[in-house]
């Protein structure tokens, strides 16, 4: 009985991890320099378009685009 319960818990943990890892965004559909807010489900920090980041073709790990996230200052959202 214990073996069944342990096996079930491990199986559920594996399914949960697999389900979370199935979404990704390569940013290829977005024009370089465009604000990400409202594109592909992206929202800016605190739902603010000014803090959403932009699509960038300067540096990318795969493909030709990536997300460029910047802030106007190092204290814009505070530090801890």
């Amino acid at each position: 009985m214990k073996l069944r319960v342990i096996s079930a818990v491990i199986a559920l943990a594996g399914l949960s991890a697999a389900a979370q890892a199935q979404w990704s965004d390569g940013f290829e559909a977005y024009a370089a320099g465009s604000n990400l807010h409202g594109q592909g489900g992206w929202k800016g920090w605190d739902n603010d378009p000014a803090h959403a980041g932009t699509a960038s073709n300067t540096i990318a790990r795969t493909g030709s685009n990536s997300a460029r996230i910047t802030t106007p200052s190092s204290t814009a959202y505070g530090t801890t």
Side-chain angles (χ1 to χ4, degrees):
M1 180 67 175
K2 281 186 179 182
L3 183 56
R4 281 186 178 175
V5 171
I6 291 172
S7 296
V9 169
I10 291 171
L12 286 174
L15 289 174
S16 175
Q20 292 175 358
Q22 290 182 13
W23 183 86
S24 68
D25 195 338
F27 305 100
E28 304 307 311
Y30 315 132
S34 66
N35 189 304
L36 293 175
H37 187 84
Q39 295 192 72
W42 289 100
K43 299 281 184 195
W45 191 272
D46 291 333
N47 205 23
D48 182 352
H51 300 287
T54 57
S56 173
N57 61 3
T58 305
I59 299 174
R61 183 169 181 228
T62 60
S64 60
N65 286 348
S66 62
R68 181 167 189 231
I69 309 297
T70 59
T71 185
S73 74
S74 61
T75 59
Y77 287 107
T79 57
T80 55

